[in-house]
Amino acid sequence: MLDTTTICIVAIICLTLIELSKNGIEKSKADKEKFIAEKAAHEAETEAIRTERAKCPGPRT
């Protein structure tokens, strides 16, 4: 049979692993949100450049 100390150690390890996986998931979500925000900012900047260029007549250099 397993003694109480072994059961407690296994429980602590399991809880630690669960907590680490939660932190990893949260970090992954934050990284994804950051990427989406950066992509949107880049697209807005690109669109602003296109709009500004459209205002200028003449050949492109």
Side-chain angles (χ1 to χ4, degrees), residues 11-60:
I12 290 171
I13 291 171
C14 288
L15 292 173
T16 303
L17 290 174
I18 290 169
E19 202 58 38
L20 288 173
S21 68
K22 283 182 185 177
N23 291 340
I25 291 169
E26 290 171 5
K27 184 180 183 312
S28 176
K29 286 180 183 177
D31 289 346
K32 183 177 179 181
E33 290 171 0
K34 179 182 174 188
F35 173 77
I36 291 170
E38 288 174 352
K39 183 177 177 186
H42 178 70
E43 288 174 359
E45 182 180 352
T46 302
E47 188 60 34
I49 291 169
R50 285 187 186 135
T51 302
E52 196 61 34
R53 285 184 182 169
K55 292 178 184 177
C56 301
R60 304 248 190 272

